[in-house]
Amino acid sequence: MATMEDVARAADVSLSTVSHVLNGTRKVSPKTVAAVNAAMQQIGYVPNMLARALAGSSSGTIGVAISAFTNHYFSETVRAIEAACTRHGLMMLFSDTHDDPEQELKVVQNLHQRRVDGIVLAPSGDTHHRTLDYLTSNKIASVLVDRMSAQPFDQVGVENIEATAELVGHLITVHGHRRIGFIAGAPGLSTTDERIEGYRLALQRANIVFDPALLRSGDSNLERSGAATRELLALPQRPTAIVAGNNLMTIGTMHALRDAHIAVPQDVSLAGFDDFDWADYFSPRLTVMAQPLEELGAMAVDLLIDRIANPGRARHVQRLSPTLRVRNSCGCP
């Protein structure tokens, strides 16, 4: 098996220079870096990550705790985080929290026991903040993604209030809707609260009186969002448009409308928060507020790497701007 000494001889540099190239511990000229990389490739040298981890008290691995199996949006987020880890030469350990506070705590504890260098977490709606308290008390480098917290963590998510107001405002100003139903996500999540606030803000700007009957909880899942849609359709004066607070609830709403033989957008206009691969292939094609997932994942990893390197710095909270993608489920041509 090739060694670092073999690499140094092949590149005609010192052993310490090879070490600096591998570990990034000192600036090395691009020409020398290229020579070392070429030598490693030529002789088939593979860095011993375990030895480097033991020497530097670093595993070169980050943990990701997100509920991804049941939510396509989070699956895409995990993919973006993994791509960012690959660019930085890091390994990723992923475990699904199922958005369950008990499971979430177990997942984070297991990742901690495996000595990951840091953790990216999309926190559940745990009112007791057990996982966040565990991260704090154990001084684990952490970044919260998507769902924000008042606690002092590094965080990255999208701007939800104005984005939702823009989405609802499109239905009001372009299509003239005055009676708009809103299907909100699971309670206790910052994304749910902020998107409700954005919905109400759009109504206020258009001088439309908020009707509590038009605000329903879809609990961020297919079944409950379908039930919420049926509740809206059963109102004496049903809405002429519906906005769903995430991608799963948009699909649940579409299913319920189809089962009730309600045509979209002819009978009811539909828009949702979150884009997904097949949204442009539905009939009708879905009007959505799309989140910048690749940028979200990359920024989460960058923040975590910076936190690991600078554990004492002030926290950073980043908000990214989503993009309104107008298709025809809202009634646009």
Side-chain angles (χ1 to χ4, degrees):
M1 182 178 293
T3 66
M4 285 179 60
E5 289 84 354
D6 297 328
V7 175
R9 280 193 294 270
D12 194 22
V13 297
S14 68
L15 181 61
S16 62
T17 298
V18 175
S19 177
H20 289 313
V21 171
L22 287 174
N23 297 292
T25 47
R26 194 184 72 188
K27 188 173 182 179
V28 180
S29 73
K31 182 178 178 180
T32 302
V33 171
V36 170
N37 287 333
M40 286 193 293
Q41 186 173 2
Q42 177 187 346
I43 67 176
Y45 174 73
V46 178
N48 188 332
M49 297 301 294
L50 178 59
R52 289 169 62 188
L54 292 173
S57 299
S58 169
S59 65
T61 304
I62 70 167
V64 177
I66 290 178
S67 178
F69 292 150
T70 58
N71 190 324
H72 180 76
Y73 162 73
F74 277 133
S75 299
E76 292 298 311
T77 304
V78 170
R79 189 176 304 168
I81 292 171
E82 183 179 30
C85 287
T86 300
R87 288 194 297 271
H88 286 285
L90 298 170
M91 290 292 292
M92 183 188 83
L93 285 182
F94 166 72
S95 193
D96 198 301
T97 65
H98 302 289
D99 264 340
D100 174 74
E102 296 287 346
Q103 176 69 9
E104 175 185 71
L105 181 58
K106 290 178 183 177
V107 161
V108 167
Q109 289 172 334
N110 286 335
L111 290 172
H112 184 209
Q113 290 165 7
R114 281 160 177 75
R115 297 189 176 278
V116 296
D117 295 332
I119 293 176
V120 175
L121 169 70
S124 68
D126 184 10
T127 55
H128 299 292
H129 309 296
R130 286 166 290 183
T131 299
L132 298 185
D133 289 345
Y134 179 87
L135 292 170
T136 301
S137 61
N138 286 278
K139 299 180 180 178
I140 301 170
S142 309
V143 173
L144 307 186
V145 66
D146 184 68
R147 299 159 178 179
M148 315 300 265
S149 170
Q151 296 199 35
F153 285 90
D154 291 327
Q155 305 175 55
V156 56
V158 301
E159 199 296 309
N160 289 296
I161 298 173
E162 284 294 340
T164 306
E166 181 183 359
L167 184 63
V168 176
H170 176 79
L171 295 170
I172 295 171
T173 59
V174 176
H175 299 287
H177 291 289
R178 306 286 293 178
R179 192 161 176 80
I180 302 171
F182 189 82
I183 300 179
L189 301 179
S190 65
T191 48
T192 298
D193 295 339
E194 290 172 358
R195 290 170 193 174
I196 290 174
E197 185 176 347
Y199 164 65
R200 298 191 63 165
L201 178 61
L203 299 181
Q204 179 185 341
R205 286 172 174 171
N207 295 316
I208 299 173
V209 177
F210 169 68
D211 182 352
L214 292 175
L215 175 60
R216 302 282 168 158
S217 174
D219 207 27
S220 298
N221 66 65
L222 287 169
E223 293 77 14
R224 180 57 202 144
S225 58
T229 302
R230 290 188 289 273
E231 292 167 5
L232 289 173
L233 296 177
L235 292 173
Q237 186 182 358
R238 76 184 188 194
T240 61
I242 296 175
V243 175
N246 76 3
N247 57 359
L248 280 177
M249 295 189 295
T250 303
I251 296 172
T253 298
M254 287 191 71
H255 286 176
L257 292 171
R258 181 199 60 195
D259 292 345
H261 304 290
I262 301 295
V264 177
Q266 294 87 344
D267 299 327
V268 173
S269 292
L270 176 65
F273 212 102
D274 295 337
D275 202 6
F276 41 98
D277 293 342
W278 56 88
D280 201 27
Y281 296 94
F282 274 109
S283 181
R285 296 161 59 234
L286 295 176
T287 292
V288 297
M289 187 60 73
Q291 303 192 56
L293 298 185
E294 288 190 12
E295 189 178 355
L296 193 76
M299 188 166 290
V301 174
D302 287 345
L303 280 175
L304 186 58
I305 290 172
D306 189 37
R307 171 59 62 188
I308 293 167
N310 303 285
R313 69 156 169 78
R315 76 165 183 161
H316 289 167
V317 177
Q318 302 284 347
R319 291 277 192 171
L320 306 178
S321 298
T323 302
L324 177 61
R325 291 183 179 164
V326 177
R327 299 183 181 116
N328 61 354
S329 66
C330 60
C332 285

